[in-house]
Amino acid sequence: MTSAVFRGRQRTGDVLILLAIIGIAVAAAFPLVWMVLSSLKTPAESMQTPPVWIPATPNLAAYGEVADVIDARRSFLNSFIIATTTTAGILVTSLMAGYAFAKYRFRGRDALFAIMIATMFLPPIVTLIPLYRLVTSLGLGASLFGVIAPHLANAFGIFLMRQFVAGVPDDLIDAARVDGASELRIVFSVVAPAVVPAIAALALFAFVYHWNTYLWPLTVLQGSTDDYPIVLSLGRLLSYNRGAVNTGLVMAGATLAVLPPLVLFVFLQRFFVDSIVSAGVKG
Amino acid sequence: MATLKLEEIRKSFGSIEVIKGVDLDVDEGELIVFVGPSGCGKSTLLRIIAGLEDTTSGTIWIDSEACNDKAPKERGIAMVFQSYALYPHKTVYQNMAFSLKLSRRPKQEIDERIREAARILQMEHLLQRRPHQLSGGQRQRVAIGRAIVRHPKVFLFDEPLSNLDAALRVSMRREIARLHTELGSTMIYVTHDQIEAMTLADRIVVLDGGEVKQVGTPMELYHHPANIFVAGFIGSPRMNFINGRVETMAEGRLSVETRVFGRLNVGLVGSVTVSTGDQVTIGLRPEDCEIVDADALPLTVSLVERLGDETLLEVTSTSGEVLVVKAPPIREYRPGETVGLMPRPGALHVFDESGRAFARAKAQVG
Ligand SMILES: Nc1ncnc2c1ncn2[C@@H]1O[C@H](COP(=O)(O)OP(=O)(O)OP(=O)(O)O)[C@@H](O)[C@H]1O
Ligand SMILES: [Mg+2]
């Protein structure tokens, strides 16, 4: 194959891939854009058919209204508490357990790991009721801690960390042992800095997942609306006004709810993209 | 500075025994080199001394204190790894400071020790760099510096030079020798390179298959190898081995019939437990024979390697045995030509069928 032909083919291929990417990006962004635009419309504009695309007089009235209907500040705070504590818990437990699975030789290690992995394939709905019974019987029902506690460790996080920590050279860990570092110190001062991309990726996954989680807090909190995270409170916006949906209001609430994970993504994106690429290389 | 004593050390991984009862006494300030082929257990033994690996049985004494149950940091050792194992996210300074910080030394003292180590290793200008900004040789220096700042009782080196190119290896080897003189510390140095072993060691420990084959000064090992394994391992190019059969024995003398040289007379000391007709192996170092004109038992030159200061000849006997000999460079040899070989008197080694050496007269070549 001459290089000219090859380059020509490559260029056609590039264009096709680019078109596909653009198509997917547009499809993915469409609902988000629609959401933001709708939040800026007047109630009349929201109801119109055919739909109005660009609001004639964009206004933030709906955002003010959100705060009238729900205690938005409280809901955001609840969401923050749930997402950050859970994420922090997952990072710490995943790093420690991942280190143990990757670097310790102990009896039953592989069997234990396999069992743990198997839990990843249980649909959450299967464990919902047993977990709920467990949490309430521990007296944690209808509290934020009840929402958080069962998710402070998770199999995927441990799996991810084990894969990455396995790539940290044994000599590095032995050097730290000779230098007098305790095992905990090794995990956090030597191993963690070596797997920063994985930590960033896991932090993002965990934060977004637990920011958006709906079913579990709904089950545990049992109508204790003061403890509702923003995602549950959005549901209340929906049912506000006896079923006559105020689209602008709901969209304003949704736009607000999307912001924190988005900001976090922008902040962690560099690491995140990095880790997915290197994970691909390391296999 | 400290003494180190290993007593009947054994180590198994699962059902496989990799260290099979090692005893060793190391004096204060001695530089001991462990050599042996790949997989013989050098690193394992070193890691046992460091406390990174448990023993299956046996005792490790550092300064006459049993250390089996002590963590690495409590043993007063420092280790330099083959892969350098520098903390990648820390600067050179922080790499060296890590252990001192962990033992809560005052800042002032930490700084002094790092500056001192940097001076000894001539790397003051590198302190603020990170490992990825350093060359291989510089990284190795930092790894050594990280060991020095701890003022350890015993330094442990696991093949510290094997990732360096040939020229750098030679200069770092000298550096380590200099360091040993300057610090006067007890050091254990692992290598599979017998030149490193010969040049650095006060005493060499030759390991094979998890057993100590011989312990001795470089010259003892060179002139008086205790067995075929050590004889073949120490010296480069390696010793030639020729099969022979005992013809006659007399007080301090053995007469052996070989196919390459015909009858050879070997001077021995002590009592010898062979009888006429026994198979023995004769060892002859490449540097221990003289090349003469072809005689009754001619050898054919099959390969010529010119090293400049000397030439290595591979020669094949009529009976098919291959020997390597060192020849002075003054004469050109060509493949295919025939030569004769004359072992230097007193240079022969004799091993019995189990590979054990017969004692040779002391005071070989100066
Ligand atoms: N963690 C382990 N589990 C099982 N076997 C091991 C382990 N570590 C080492 N071994 C085995 O022990 C033997 C000795 O290994 P060791 O690393 O000490 O050899 P070495 O002399 O340092 O070799 P090299 O020159 O290649 O570094 C080898 O056969 C190796 O396979
Ligand atoms: Mg080794």
Side-chain angles (χ1 to χ4, degrees):
Chain A
M1 190 189 312
T2 72
S3 64
V5 172
F6 180 69
R7 240 181 280 132
R9 273 194 205 172
Q10 200 178 24
R11 213 170 298 142
T12 328
D14 284 352
V15 168
L16 286 178
I17 289 170
L18 196 63
L19 285 177
I21 291 173
I22 291 172
I24 293 167
V26 167
F30 176 76
L32 282 175
V33 173
W34 181 254
M35 172 185 78
V36 175
L37 288 175
S38 299
S39 73
L40 301 173
K41 291 172 193 167
T42 61
E45 279 173 327
S46 314
M47 305 302 286
Q48 239 166 309
T49 17
V52 177
W53 282 96
I54 309 292
T57 53
N59 70 89
L60 296 170
Y63 287 85
E65 223 177 309
V66 170
D68 296 339
V69 180
I70 56 169
D71 189 345
R73 188 186 301 229
R74 181 86 190 242
S75 298
F76 268 102
L77 185 64
N78 290 337
S79 283
F80 261 111
I81 293 172
I82 293 171
T84 50
T85 350
T86 313
T87 303
I90 288 174
L91 290 183
V92 170
T93 52
S94 299
L95 205 51
M96 284 166 50
Y99 172 66
F101 276 123
K103 296 298 182 189
Y104 288 176
R105 280 174 268 154
F106 56 90
R107 196 168 306 212
R109 176 184 71 176
D110 296 340
L112 203 61
F113 190 68
I115 292 169
M116 194 200 67
I117 291 295
T119 67
M120 270 167 54
F121 301 106
L122 285 181
I125 200 77
V126 172
T127 53
L128 187 72
I129 301 304
L131 203 55
Y132 170 70
R133 303 283 304 255
L134 184 67
V135 167
T136 44
S137 71
L138 289 170
L140 301 174
S143 75
L144 280 186
F145 191 60
V147 177
I148 293 166
H151 295 110
L152 288 174
N154 85 40
F156 172 72
I158 295 172
F159 168 74
L160 187 75
M161 283 305 157
R162 191 199 82 135
Q163 301 309 92
F164 275 83
V165 173
V168 177
D170 288 343
D171 278 357
L172 201 60
I173 292 163
D174 283 337
R177 284 190 185 130
V178 170
D179 271 350
S182 66
E183 293 299 294
L184 269 187
R185 164 79 69 165
I186 290 172
V187 171
F188 293 106
S189 301
V190 176
V191 173
V195 295
V196 164
I199 291 175
L202 182 58
L204 190 68
F205 286 137
F207 187 90
V208 170
Y209 184 87
H210 290 284
W211 181 272
N212 290 334
T213 181
Y214 183 85
L215 193 57
W216 174 245
L218 184 69
T219 313
V220 174
L221 293 175
Q222 288 292 308
S224 142
T225 52
D226 276 355
D227 290 328
Y228 270 18
I230 186 68
V231 177
L232 291 192
S233 295
L234 285 183
R236 291 179 64 223
L237 286 181
L238 212 54
S239 57
Y240 166 70
N241 215 5
R242 286 189 218 94
V245 177
N246 182 340
T247 313
L249 179 65
V250 175
M251 290 303 149
T255 305
L256 288 176
V258 161
L259 281 180
L262 203 64
V263 169
L264 187 70
F265 175 72
V266 170
F267 179 68
L268 292 180
Q269 189 212 25
R270 189 167 55 91
F271 297 117
F272 177 64
V273 171
D274 235 28
S275 98
I276 286 178
V277 170
S278 63
V281 173
K282 282 177 198 153
Chain B
M1 253 196 270
T3 60
L4 172 77
K5 185 177 159 78
L6 302 181
E7 204 174 276
E8 253 309 287
I9 301 286
R10 289 176 183 277
K11 172 71 184 176
S12 304
F13 288 109
S15 59
I16 301 162
E17 189 167 49
V18 296
I19 303 291
K20 299 169 184 163
V22 169
D23 288 291
L24 183 67
D25 262 301
V26 180
D27 281 338
E28 214 163 273
E30 226 183 345
L31 200 168
I32 295 285
V33 174
F34 292 171
V35 281
S38 188
C40 69
K42 307 180 293 290
S43 299
T44 305
L45 197 55
L46 199 71
R47 291 167 56 80
I48 286 173
I49 298 171
L52 292 169
E53 208 82 68
D54 297 331
T55 56
T56 305
S57 69
T59 317
I60 305 132
W61 306 85
I62 296 178
D63 267 348
S64 45
E65 233 184 301
C67 285
N68 289 42
D69 298 327
K70 286 190 178 179
K73 63 171 171 182
E74 294 161 341
R75 298 189 181 197
I77 50 101
M79 185 154 168
V80 176
F81 295 84
Q82 176 177 356
S83 61
Y84 319 131
L86 302 177
Y87 309 120
H89 54 285
K90 292 186 195 298
T91 62
V92 168
Y93 189 96
Q94 289 165 339
N95 261 281
M96 294 201 278
F98 190 58
S99 66
L100 299 173
K101 275 196 184 147
L102 289 173
S103 57
R104 299 186 201 292
R105 302 275 172 186
K107 243 192 155 96
Q108 171 80 26
E109 186 191 336
I110 295 179
D111 194 64
E112 275 167 17
R113 287 203 192 182
I114 292 175
R115 306 265 162 219
E116 184 204 6
R119 183 187 52 72
I120 293 175
L121 294 167
Q122 291 144 24
M123 53 173 206
E124 283 115 324
H125 58 295
L126 301 176
L127 289 177
Q128 292 316 316
R129 297 220 196 145
R130 278 173 207 279
H132 69 90
Q133 298 165 315
L134 302 174
S135 70
Q138 290 170 330
R139 280 178 211 186
Q140 196 53 72
R141 258 166 226 272
V142 177
I144 294 171
R146 195 169 62 177
I148 292 178
V149 294
R150 304 186 52 207
H151 295 177
K153 291 183 190 166
V154 183
F155 280 92
L156 307 175
F157 294 90
D158 192 356
E159 307 206 25
L161 307 185
S162 54
N163 284 346
L164 304 178
D165 66 53
L168 206 50
R169 255 166 115 142
V170 173
S171 75
M172 280 304 285
R173 194 174 76 206
R174 303 227 164 99
E175 192 100 345
I176 288 174
R178 182 177 64 80
L179 200 69
H180 179 238
T181 335
E182 194 166 332
L183 302 175
S185 316
T186 309
M187 295 183 174
I188 312 276
Y189 186 104
V190 165
T191 179
H192 59 246
D193 180 329
Q194 57 95 19
I195 297 182
E196 262 173 45
M198 293 292 282
T199 51
L200 280 173
D202 290 325
R203 280 191 302 154
I204 296 176
V205 177
V206 183
L207 289 164
D208 184 39
E211 287 172 339
V212 174
K213 288 292 179 186
Q214 193 174 359
V215 181
T217 65
M219 281 319 189
E220 272 167 19
L221 262 51
Y222 179 81
H223 289 303
H224 302 283
N227 46 57
I228 285 197
F229 181 80
V230 175
F233 199 80
I234 300 290
S236 168
R238 74 193 293 261
M239 187 185 278
N240 299 297
F241 294 111
I242 309 153
N243 293 326
R245 206 168 50 82
V246 176
E247 285 280 296
T248 59
M249 288 169 307
E251 191 64 20
R253 247 186 49 160
L254 199 61
S255 179
V256 179
E257 183 63 33
T258 66
R259 286 200 288 178
V260 186
F261 295 112
R263 172 163 302 190
L264 287 171
N265 289 319
V266 192
L268 297 171
V269 293
S271 59
V272 175
T273 51
V274 282
S275 31
T276 305
D278 280 359
Q279 287 295 326
V280 291
T281 304
I282 301 285
L284 177 64
R285 295 205 182 273
E287 51 273 38
D288 282 342
C289 44
E290 214 170 316
I291 300 172
V292 294
D293 292 335
D295 51 15
L297 290 165
L299 296 133
T300 314
V301 175
S302 45
L303 187 72
V304 182
E305 289 182 307
R306 292 177 198 86
L307 303 179
D309 58 337
E310 63 194 13
T311 301
L312 300 181
L313 300 185
E314 189 188 274
V315 296
T316 311
S317 72
T318 43
S319 51
E321 274 152 305
V322 177
L323 283 78
V324 174
V325 295
K326 278 187 188 170
I330 32 174
R331 172 152 152 17
E332 280 277 334
Y333 293 94
R334 307 200 171 283
E337 89 181 81
T338 52
V339 294
L341 284 186
M342 263 239 312
R344 260 187 253 292
L348 294 174
H349 299 252
V350 190
F351 307 93
D352 69 15
E353 269 193 291
S354 68
R356 218 156 10 116
F358 293 126
R360 308 198 313 148
K362 281 263 185 297
Q364 299 298 326
V365 230

